[in-house]
Amino acid sequence: MALYTREGIRWPIFYLVLFSVLFFSLDYFPYDVGLDVLRDTVRVFSYMVGIVVWLLLAIVINRLIRYFIWEKIFERRGRTIPKLLKDMVGALIMMAAIGGIISVVFKKDLTILLAATGGVGVIVGLAIKELIADVFAGLALNAEQPFQIGDVIRIGDIEGEVIELNWRATHLLTKNNTVLVYPNARISMAVIDNLYKRGTHFRGVFDLRLDHGVAPERALRLLNSAVKHVRDQSKDLMKELPADLEASAVAVDIDDVGVLYQIRYWLPHYDNRIPIRNRVISAVMRELEQAGITPAVPQQKIHHLPLQTHDASSEERVMRLLRDTRIFANIEEEDALFLVRSMTMLRFKPGDVIIKRGTAGASMYFILEGMADVYIWIAAQETEIRVGSMISGKAFGEMSLLTGDPRSATIKAHTDIILYELTNDHLGVLLEKRPELAGIISSVIAEYQLKDRAMRESLSETEQEEQTKTAAQELLGKIRSFFNLR
C-alpha cells in the first residue's frame, strides 16, 4: 500500500524523469536504435554508477569515522568532539570523493582543473579572507581546546558560557541571558580566561580604598577580621575548601584618594562567586560601619587645623557595644554611661589566649575591633575544637560576670584584637545602687536561653512562660548571692 502514497511514488517518478532526460538528451530518434546509441547509453549509465559508488564510499567512510573514532575513542573517554571538527572532516571526505569522480569516472586531469580555478580562487579568497581566518581559527581552537561547550570563559570584560562553536564563530551565553557571537579569529588573538579550568577552588579579589587618616594597622585588623569571619558564617557554601586556604586583606597602593586595600578570599566553585562575594562585601561594610569608617572617595579638603583621626576608644563606640548586648540593651542612660567609663581597654596579638576554659572568671569582654576564635572541649576526642569565631560588636563571658561561673570555653585572638573588659566590681557598684537591675538582667538571660531550648524541644507557650520564670528566679538567686545583694 505504501507504493501508492505520496512518499511511495516520489522516488519512482524521480527515476522515470531522470532516465527520460538522459535518454532524450542523446539526440537520437527513439526507433532508430543502433550500436552507437547502446554504447552511449552504457557510458552514461557507467557514469551514473561511478558517481553513486564514489558518493556512497564517502558516506560509508564518514559513518565509519563517526562510529569508530568520534564515538568509540573520544566520546567514551569523556571528551566531547566539537561539531566544527566533525563537519570539517566530513567536508574533506566529500571533496576527496568529488576529486575521485572527476579523475576516475570522467578521466579528467585534476591539475588542469586546479590551474584553471586558481585565479578565481585568489579573487574569492581575498573577498572572504576574514571568513577564511575565522574558519582556520576555529580549527585551531578545536585542536588546542582552550575551552569546550559548557565552559564559562572571560574575554576582556565579557564573561559567558560557551553554548556553540561552529565554522565561523563562538556563541557565548552571558549572565544577562544574552547571546554574544564572537568571530573565531578575534578569540584566537585574545587572552582567554577559562573559569572552569581553574580546579576545585580559586581566589576572588576586590579592592577598597580607605582614607589616609585610617591607620593601616587598624584598617588591616578590621578587614582581616571581616573576611576571615565570612568562612565561619558560610559553611553551607565553603565547606569544600581546604582548611589551609586563608582569606586575607593587604595594602597594595596609596594615592591622592586614599590607601588601596585588596581583600582576597577563596571560592570552592565558580558558581558560588556571587553569593560569597555578597557576603564578603556585606561583612566588610558592617565592620567598617561598626568602626565608624566609610570608604574613601575623590575629594578636596582644606584643613586650617591639624588633621584629627578617629579615636578608637571613644565613648560613643563603647556605648554602642554595650547597647548591642542583650543584658544591657535597655538599662538607663546614666547606668550605661557609668559602665562604659568603668571598662578597661585590652589588646591581644594573634594566638593569645583571652580566657581559658575551666578557669575562674568575674568579668565580661566586648570586642571593639578584631576577630576571636571559640574553642570547646570535646570529651570523646580529649581535645579542644574550634567551633566558630566572633568579630567586633560581639561580647562574651556574661555568665562569669554575673554569677562567677567558670569559663565554659576557650577564646583566642585570631587577629590583632581590641577588647573592653567589664569586671564584677564595677557591675556590683551599679547593682548596689539599683538592685532591681539584677531581676531585669536575669529575665533577659533566662528568656534567651529558653528560646534556643524551646526551638529544640518544641515547648508550648505556657510551658515556655513557666520555665522562663523558674530559670529567671534561679539565675536571680545566683546573681544576688554572688554580689551579696539583699
Side-chain angles (χ1 to χ4, degrees):
M1 296 298 294
L3 182 63
Y4 298 99
T5 64
R6 187 177 62 177
E7 295 293 330
I9 64 175
R10 176 181 298 176
W11 288 110
I13 293 176
F14 171 77
Y15 288 126
L16 177 60
V17 173
L18 176 62
F19 281 102
S20 297
V21 171
L22 290 174
F23 181 77
F24 288 107
S25 65
L26 297 177
D27 196 22
Y28 287 106
F29 185 74
Y31 298 104
D32 186 15
V33 179
L35 293 178
D36 293 338
V37 176
L38 182 60
R39 187 166 44 252
D40 290 341
T41 302
V42 172
R43 183 182 300 111
V44 171
F45 182 75
S46 66
Y47 288 161
M48 292 177 57
V49 173
I51 293 172
V52 171
V53 169
W54 277 96
L55 293 179
L56 287 176
L57 180 61
I59 294 173
V60 170
I61 293 175
N62 198 18
R63 294 283 178 89
L64 292 175
I65 291 176
R66 179 185 302 177
Y67 180 75
F68 287 103
I69 297 180
W70 302 150
E71 296 180 4
K72 286 281 188 180
I73 298 178
F74 290 98
E75 294 183 2
R76 292 193 179 183
R77 295 181 180 179
R79 295 193 61 183
T80 302
I81 304 301
K83 184 175 181 296
L84 173 59
L85 183 57
K86 295 179 180 179
D87 292 344
M88 193 66 180
V89 172
L92 291 175
I93 294 173
M94 190 58 65
M95 289 174 62
I98 294 174
I101 292 172
I102 295 173
S103 61
V104 176
V105 177
F106 293 101
K107 304 289 192 290
K108 301 296 181 181
D109 190 357
L110 287 177
T111 57
I112 299 176
L113 179 61
L114 294 176
T117 58
V120 178
V122 172
I123 297 174
V124 174
L126 292 175
I128 60 172
K129 62 178 181 179
E130 294 183 359
L131 178 60
I132 295 175
D134 290 333
V135 171
F136 280 96
L139 291 175
L141 292 175
N142 278 274
E144 187 179 353
Q145 290 192 334
F147 54 82
Q148 297 178 353
I149 293 178
D151 288 355
V152 177
I153 63 174
R154 181 185 295 126
I155 305 173
D157 296 331
I158 303 299
E159 179 181 308
E161 178 186 352
V162 180
I163 60 174
E164 183 180 350
L165 176 60
N166 57 37
W167 291 72
R168 192 190 69 83
T170 298
H171 296 223
L172 300 181
L173 178 64
T174 69
K175 56 186 177 182
N176 297 327
N177 203 32
T178 59
V179 177
L180 298 181
V181 180
Y182 261 88
N184 290 330
R186 286 185 57 187
I187 294 181
S188 65
M189 295 185 292
V191 176
I192 303 172
D193 186 4
N194 192 326
L195 302 174
Y196 270 27
K197 286 193 175 181
R198 294 184 176 187
T200 57
H201 54 270
F202 64 97
R203 192 168 69 180
V205 176
F206 75 90
D207 297 333
L208 178 72
R209 276 185 173 81
L210 298 180
D211 191 79
H212 299 101
V214 182
E217 60 272 14
R218 183 184 178 209
L220 291 174
R221 179 171 60 245
L222 293 170
L223 297 177
N224 275 299
S225 300
V227 71
K228 290 176 183 294
H229 186 63
V230 169
R231 182 162 182 170
D232 290 331
Q233 302 301 313
S234 304
K235 293 181 179 178
D236 57 328
L237 297 177
M238 307 175 73
K239 60 183 178 181
E240 299 180 17
L241 279 179
D244 58 342
L245 295 181
E246 281 279 353
S248 63
V250 295
V252 296
D253 197 9
I254 184 172
D255 53 25
D256 55 348
V257 177
V259 180
L260 179 64
Y261 296 90
Q262 191 174 80
I263 292 88
R264 306 170 177 177
Y265 55 96
W266 291 92
L267 307 175
H269 301 288
Y270 179 75
D271 294 338
N272 299 133
R273 68 196 186 282
I274 300 300
I276 292 180
R277 184 179 180 87
N278 289 342
R279 296 185 187 186
V280 170
I281 293 177
S282 298
V284 168
M285 296 308 296
R286 282 198 304 268
E287 191 76 357
L288 294 179
E289 181 182 3
Q290 182 74 24
I293 300 173
T294 57
V297 295
Q299 56 184 325
Q300 290 184 343
K301 294 182 180 180
I302 300 177
H303 296 281
H304 298 285
L305 296 175
L307 179 63
Q308 297 180 352
T309 59
H310 185 78
D311 185 6
S313 61
S314 64
E315 284 186 359
E316 180 183 354
R317 294 186 61 201
V318 182
M319 177 65 76
R320 188 162 62 246
L321 287 175
L322 186 73
R323 290 297 190 185
D324 287 342
T325 308
R326 294 185 304 273
I327 60 177
F328 299 118
N330 299 316
I331 65 175
E332 299 291 335
E333 188 69 21
E334 179 184 352
D335 299 337
L337 188 59
F338 170 77
L339 294 179
V340 167
R341 292 176 177 175
S342 302
M343 294 185 193
T344 303
M345 186 177 72
L346 303 174
R347 293 177 180 267
F348 292 91
K349 296 292 184 182
D352 290 349
V353 177
I354 302 173
I355 60 174
K356 181 68 176 176
R357 182 191 63 86
T359 59
S363 62
M364 180 179 180
Y365 297 88
F366 301 82
I367 302 178
L368 183 70
E369 296 177 2
M371 175 179 170
D373 293 330
V374 182
Y375 294 82
I376 63 172
W377 177 260
I378 305 297
Q381 301 180 17
E382 296 185 353
T383 185
E384 286 185 333
I385 300 296
R386 180 180 180 273
V387 295
S389 60
M390 298 179 291
I391 56 174
S392 61
K394 301 298 181 180
F396 56 92
E398 59 266 25
M399 295 306 297
S400 295
L401 171 69
L402 297 173
T403 65
D405 290 347
R407 305 293 187 184
S408 59
T410 297
I411 309 296
K412 296 180 182 180
H414 190 100
T415 64
D416 289 333
I417 191 170
I418 301 176
L419 308 100
Y420 276 81
E421 182 183 23
L422 175 63
T423 65
N424 65 336
D425 293 334
H426 298 100
L427 181 60
V429 173
L430 181 60
L431 293 179
E432 284 284 350
K433 180 181 176 181
R434 300 187 185 279
E436 70 277 6
L437 188 59
I440 298 174
I441 293 175
S442 62
S443 297
V444 171
I445 294 179
E447 183 177 357
Y448 177 79
Q449 291 178 338
L450 192 68
K451 193 174 186 180
D452 290 342
R453 181 182 170 189
M455 292 177 62
R456 294 192 301 268
E457 300 181 1
S458 301
L459 300 176
S460 65
E461 293 185 4
T462 304
E463 291 174 331
Q464 292 182 33
E465 292 179 1
E466 293 177 355
Q467 294 197 20
T468 299
K469 291 180 180 179
T470 302
Q473 288 296 327
E474 293 179 356
L475 183 57
L476 179 59
K478 289 184 178 181
I479 294 175
R480 285 177 175 175
S481 175
F482 183 65
F483 286 96
N484 297 318
L485 301 176
R486 296 180 181 178

